[in-house]
Amino acid sequence: MGNACCKASKEKDSPQTDNAPIESPSTTSPLFENLLPLTKTLPLIREADATREYTWDESTPLPGHKNTFRGTKSNDPACEVLVTKVVISTAFTQAQTIALAKMANFKPRVSDTTGARKTTQLDFALFHKDTLCLISRVNQGPTIPEAIAAAEEKYDEATALEWTADVAEGLEHLHKHGFVQACLDPRALRVTKVSDTCSAVQLPSFNLSSLVNQPCDAPDWAGALAPELLLGETCAPTAASDIWNLGVLLHILLVGEPPLNRDKEESKRIIQMPVSYTHLTLPTKRIV
């Protein structure tokens, strides 16, 4: 499943250390002074310029995300990673430091039967000057739309339910550990072939709302937004909005489009429309 450096397995839960890190000049920015104690207890958090170790194209963010990009190791282009780049203007607070430590200690959900990872794992958090980059290993494979197109007539409801179950397991694991995913764009979800008859879907990244004070990632079509986010009742995604997004994903897999319109204002009108229910009286006698 993918290249050796990125292969998901139960035995390989720790960050990749197969290649020695490229050292950066030790001139800690005042913005990240609170992270220095963490670098002594969590080796995956360190001061380094991520651009010297990884390559990514900021003109093409991960679908549904604003600051997460697909990249590769500079010294191993065959190994794919996700790079989430965060530029800050004020010093990292103690609360943000705790949130990052929590991410660093998170272990992904691994299938008991296939060994496939249901979620990504933070491999490294590299800070330099005013920039923090979160590096995560990623399963390789086609996106969900690409996998559906390749399957042609072999794609069916059973496959849609299998992929949705994978995502649901990943969400359950994230929620159990206090994280939300926030964006289930099918174009960002990769389908990994586990065997000739089995495939798996991995959640691509962490939501950063607990880490940085900036607008969170959101789907670029209104129909995928949870009602509370679409109507402005809250600005931060929650576990509840993840469940809404899971339902939207299932709708897309079965129907081919979100349940609501892409237009935000029209979607708002549909959500706010009064709904009346017609109660049917069932017959008391059995009708043959």
Side-chain angles (χ1 to χ4, degrees), residues 179-198:
F179 296 105
V180 295
Q181 207 287 320
C183 180
L184 293 177
D185 192 315
R187 299 167 300 171
L189 299 176
R190 294 267 171 168
V191 180
T192 302
K193 184 177 181 180
V194 177
S195 67
D196 291 338
T197 59
C198 180

Side-chain angles (χ1 to χ4, degrees), residues 17 50 67 83 98 109 123 156 163 182 209 213 282:
T17 57
N67 53 6
V83 180
I98 293 173
R109 169 80 170 88
D123 281 340
D156 55 14
W163 291 348
S209 58
N213 296 319
L282 299 177

Side-chain angles (χ1 to χ4, degrees), residues 7-20:
K7 185 176 180 181
S9 65
K10 291 184 180 181
E11 293 77 22
K12 198 168 183 182
D13 284 335
S14 59
Q16 302 166 19
T17 57
D18 49 337
N19 294 304

